[in-house]
Amino acid sequence: MFGRLLQQPPRQHGTLLVQRACMRAVHTTRYARGNKSVTSVANEARPNFDPTLPGRMPSPWSKFTGYMSFYKEGLKELWANRSAYTDIKRRTARGEQITRAEHQILTRYPSDRLRILPFGVLVILAPELIYLIVLFMPGFCPSTCVTYKTVAKGAAKHDALKQKLHLRLLERIGEDGLSVSDFVTEQALAKAAARGSRLFSMDKLDRGELLMLYRFLGIGSMGWILPTSWLRTGVARHLSYVHKDDSLLLSEQAVGQLELVDLFRACQERGIPSADLPDYQLRQALYSWAQLTQKQAGAGNILPIAWSRLVLLNRSVKFGNARREMA
């Protein structure tokens, strides 16, 4: 039965069914080629309904069938990603360039394939339990089966956590002889990093600081059970992924084209608050972040930028001589 479920043609690699639904409800933005400024082409509010479902106020049965249809499509996409992953990995080994969509498959599929069998069995045998399981264990879903509603709820919880981590970090930087002013501008951040602060060296971070970054960047919620060396490796690997992703976002001019679910994910991976901000501000914050990280030679050099994101949180940041709003 599971095989029959996957026989229909899969969706195109790197896309989600929810993306097409979001296109009708969420505005996009355009990035001017000349001065790289952000222009909003629409001013619609973020949908307060789940665009995964048919209609704005579906009946209970329509809601159930809508989710089932979405999950089946997600499983078909995940099945297609299996062969795509092998091809992408082979091409990267040969040094070939890949797109951002392919980079996402390369990053997400290894963990997704561990979920495909249990989630597929659940869809077939006990679909009525999926809502409760996803509600309490959102990590149970493969990335291709995550709904807008799940992402939005996760963003709200993550933003609440960031507030607590923000206050904790303000105390920590004072102990290291730093102040908020050291993180406000690009130049101040560079000077603080040049002074050799322990916070800006991955090898010198203690367990508490590594765990703070691990949670702030949305790497995982169970970091407290991991050895310190694993936390350090996890943070370094995540920053490397973000640095590469930023490069692809800028080279493909993709920030203005991201659908809402992907936009949420990208912001959460960089610690950018996203639950209560309009779409255009998230795009602007993501674009500014990507521009700043690409000025650094490697992934290790964006550690100060990650700390500045947590120190400033919702404040605006000055980059060079221009002032850009950073969520």
Side-chain angles (χ1 to χ4, degrees):
M1 183 180 293
F2 188 49
R4 292 199 301 272
L5 175 66
L6 303 172
Q7 286 176 359
Q8 300 180 25
R11 286 168 289 173
Q12 185 178 1
H13 298 328
T15 62
L16 293 170
L17 180 64
V18 70
Q19 293 177 348
R20 296 197 294 270
C22 287
M23 289 179 69
R24 298 190 297 271
V26 183
H27 71 80
T28 58
T29 55
R30 174 176 57 84
Y31 287 77
R33 292 177 181 270
N35 57 10
K36 304 296 183 183
S37 62
V38 182
T39 304
S40 178
V41 298
N43 194 28
E44 291 185 44
R46 183 173 295 167
N48 56 8
F49 61 97
D50 193 341
T52 304
L53 302 175
R56 292 174 179 255
M57 298 182 64
S59 65
W61 176 248
S62 296
K63 195 173 184 178
F64 175 78
T65 56
Y67 276 129
M68 288 303 100
S69 176
F70 174 78
Y71 291 137
K72 289 177 182 178
E73 288 294 318
L75 286 172
K76 284 187 285 185
E77 181 181 348
L78 184 56
W79 193 258
N81 287 350
R82 182 184 61 166
S83 58
Y85 173 79
T86 303
D87 177 64
I88 296 168
K89 198 170 183 179
R90 186 184 304 114
R91 286 163 49 205
T92 55
R94 296 198 298 260
E96 296 183 19
Q97 294 295 321
I98 60 176
T99 66
R100 183 178 186 270
E102 291 171 333
H103 184 236
Q104 292 296 305
I105 293 176
L106 195 63
T107 302
R108 301 187 190 283
Y109 181 74
S111 58
D112 280 346
R113 65 185 171 189
L114 301 178
R115 303 183 180 103
I116 184 172
L117 182 59
F119 188 79
V121 170
L122 188 64
V123 169
I124 296 171
L125 300 182
E128 65 279 359
L129 297 179
I130 292 180
Y131 178 80
L132 291 177
I133 291 178
V134 172
L135 183 64
F136 293 104
M137 295 191 304
F140 180 78
C141 275
S143 64
T144 56
C145 297
V146 177
T147 66
Y148 164 80
K149 188 175 182 179
T150 300
V151 173
K153 284 186 175 180
K157 291 181 180 179
H158 196 193
D159 284 0
L161 172 63
K162 289 172 191 164
Q163 293 287 347
K164 297 178 181 179
L165 296 176
H166 166 70
L167 296 176
R168 194 179 306 170
L169 181 60
L170 291 182
E171 298 178 359
R172 184 66 64 96
I173 63 173
E175 297 172 0
D176 282 5
L178 298 171
S179 65
V180 174
S181 62
D182 291 320
F183 297 85
V184 171
T185 67
E186 182 182 358
Q187 294 83 353
L189 191 59
K191 290 180 181 179
R195 292 201 302 267
S197 173
R198 186 180 55 82
L199 280 177
F200 298 150
S201 175
M202 183 68 71
D203 294 334
K204 296 179 181 179
L205 296 179
D206 62 29
R207 179 177 177 81
E209 292 157 353
L210 288 169
L211 187 57
M212 194 180 301
L213 283 172
Y214 198 87
R215 300 174 70 191
F216 171 66
L217 296 172
I219 303 173
S221 58
M222 302 294 288
W224 56 274
I225 67 174
L226 299 177
T228 301
S229 59
W230 288 21
L231 286 174
R232 199 181 312 277
T233 301
V235 172
R237 184 184 295 118
H238 182 81
L239 291 179
S240 178
Y241 153 75
V242 167
H243 191 266
K244 174 66 174 177
D245 194 47
D246 289 339
S247 174
L248 293 171
L249 282 171
L250 292 181
S251 64
E252 297 179 14
Q253 298 183 340
V255 176
Q257 305 302 320
L258 292 179
E259 302 303 337
L260 195 54
V261 170
D262 283 339
L263 182 61
F264 265 105
R265 280 177 173 160
C267 288
Q268 292 298 312
E269 288 169 348
R270 293 156 176 81
I272 300 172
S274 54
D276 299 317
L277 295 172
D279 180 19
Y280 76 90
Q281 271 191 278
L282 296 184
R283 295 183 191 278
Q284 189 178 50
L286 178 59
Y287 187 69
S288 296
W289 165 285
Q291 280 197 316
L292 188 58
T293 62
Q294 291 312 293
K295 293 181 180 180
Q296 309 305 317
N301 294 329
I302 72 172
L303 178 60
I305 303 175
W307 283 125
S308 71
R309 180 72 263 179
L310 181 53
V311 169
L312 300 175
L313 208 57
N314 296 324
R315 292 182 57 186
S316 57
V317 181
K318 289 181 180 179
F319 295 97
N321 296 324
R323 188 178 185 87
R324 292 177 181 162
E325 201 66 24
M326 285 287 290

